[in-house]
Amino acid sequence: QVQLVESGGGLVQAGGSLRLSCAASRSIFSINAMGWYRQAPGKQRELVASVTSGGSTNYADSVKGRFTISRDIAKNTVYLQMNSLKPEDTAVYSCYAVVSLVIWGQGTQVTVSS
């Protein structure tokens, strides 16, 4: 099975940027879909962005125009570029991959200060 390791979280001021990385333990070329969820304290988990094996992308309305998901097949990595960050983007961001089941990374904290 594939394993996922996230990196790139941290503390940033409102209006700033962060790039999250999700490195897979094997080729992501044939993985059906990968993406990012987030969960803030006291809130439901929210799908932030996803990308299919065909390259189609999908975004939550709350991040459209600010976040971009991309894949680097050669590096077995999916990225989430987050620009114009807002305090309400503060959450634990978790990467996932859909293979025969859903595989999750360990999560990375993103904190946006006002």
Side-chain angles (χ1 to χ4, degrees), residues 12-18 82-86 112:
V12 64
Q13 288 188 331
S17 298
L18 284 173
M82 306 185 294
N83 299 328
S84 302
L85 282 161
K86 304 175 181 180
V112 185

Side-chain angles (χ1 to χ4, degrees), residues 10-11 17 67 83 90 92 94 101 103 110:
L11 173 64
S17 298
F67 291 11
N83 299 328
T90 296
V92 174
S94 299
L101 67 162
I103 306 297
V110 171

Side-chain angles (χ1 to χ4, degrees), residues 13-51:
Q13 288 188 331
S17 298
L18 284 173
R19 188 177 77 160
L20 304 183
S21 300
C22 174
S25 58
R26 66 161 178 83
S27 173
I28 64 173
F29 180 77
S30 61
I31 291 180
N32 296 326
M34 295 184 70
W36 298 86
Y37 272 83
R38 68 184 180 186
Q39 188 164 22
K43 295 188 177 181
Q44 287 191 332
R45 188 171 60 183
E46 175 188 26
L47 176 61
V48 177
S50 63
V51 58

Side-chain angles (χ1 to χ4, degrees), residues 3-5 8 14 28 37 43 56 60 68 70 89 95 98 104-105 110:
Q3 293 180 323
L4 305 174
V5 178
I28 64 173
Y37 272 83
K43 295 188 177 181
S56 297
T68 302
S70 62
D89 294 318
C95 175
V98 180
W104 293 93
V110 171

